[in-house]
């Protein structure tokens, strides 16, 4: 399920790409609580619409054993793979971690000018619902036209230290201890903060908060509470989702 927040209500949309108004621009995804799942969902939706799409990273992602997942690639291979599959994930192998690191700078510098959606995983979160970035994070390309900041609603009612990557930084922003429970207002504070969710967002880029894991009526009510707080704090573009790890 995918909703946008409008007029104090959750209004259902047919697709995530519609809710996020995905077009031919660079979209950087940051935060926590389902970034990779969101990228897969957008990827699948683009392909179903017969729209070519590139997915890459400026940090590190898990390698996937798929024919359209390329490491140490070239512009020619990227174009060939797009022609065959309509999609391509690009990066380079990190021999120490075994993960996929960013592709070569010259590759990114060229593809960022292509007229198609380019999805960038620009942050890491250790699979936790919340994230507050360190000084060197997130790594958002200057060509980014849209920053999508993801939060997991399953953090609400659990302790800050058990749900947030770099929770000590969150504790400073929220002025609460790590053993205290996360509230809907806490998520809104983090998502609207230039030290957290909005950190590194280019001034010319659209900023959208995605509240993921709205898997029940109670979670959707909690999402509405977060949405209202976000509006008060100047965040207008909010999407509420129930995305699952299984690809569609």
């Amino acid at each position: 399920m995918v909703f946008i927040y409008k007029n104090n209500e959750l209004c259902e949309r047919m697709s995530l790409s519609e809710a996020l108004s995905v077009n031919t621009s660079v979209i950087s995804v940051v935060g926590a609580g389902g970034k990779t799942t969101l990228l897969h969902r957008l990827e699948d939706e683009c392909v179903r619409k017969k729209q070519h799409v590139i997915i890459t990273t400026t940090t590190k992602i898990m390698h996937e054993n798929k024919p359209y997942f390329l490491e140490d690639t070239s512009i020619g291979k990227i174009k060939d793979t797009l022609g065959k599959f309509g999609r391509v994930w690009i990066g380079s192998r990190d021999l120490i971690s075994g993960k996929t690191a960013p592709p070569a700078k010259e590759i990114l510098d060229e593809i960022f000018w292509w007229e198609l959606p380019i999805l960038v995983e620009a942050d890491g979160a250790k699979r936790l619902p919340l994230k507050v970035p360190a000084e060197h994070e997130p790594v958002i390309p200057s060509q980014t036209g849209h920053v999508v900041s993801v939060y997991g609603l399953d953090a609400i009612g659990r302790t800050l230290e058990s749900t947030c990557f770099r929770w000590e930084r969150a504790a400073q922003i929220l002025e609460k201890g790590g053993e205290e429970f996360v509230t809907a207002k806490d998520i809104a504070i983090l998502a609207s903060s230039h030290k957290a969710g909005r950190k590194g967002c280019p001034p010319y880029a659209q900023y959208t908060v995605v509240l993921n894991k709205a898997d029940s009526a109670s979670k959707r009510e909690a999402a509405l509470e977060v949405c209202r707080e976000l509006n008060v704090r100047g965040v207008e573009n909010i999407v509420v989702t129930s995305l699952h790890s299984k690809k569609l």
Side-chain angles (χ1 to χ4, degrees), residues 48-65:
R48 284 203 297 272
K49 293 188 297 184
K50 300 188 183 305
Q51 182 178 37
H52 286 182
V53 59
I54 295 175
I55 309 93
T56 188
T57 183
T58 54
T59 56
K60 290 178 184 177
I61 55 176
M62 296 300 296
H63 173 79
E64 297 187 21
N65 189 25

Side-chain angles (χ1 to χ4, degrees), residues 225-236:
E225 188 177 349
V226 180
C227 291
R228 295 180 187 116
E229 283 285 346
L230 282 169
N231 268 190
V232 169
R233 297 171 187 277
V235 178
E236 297 182 355

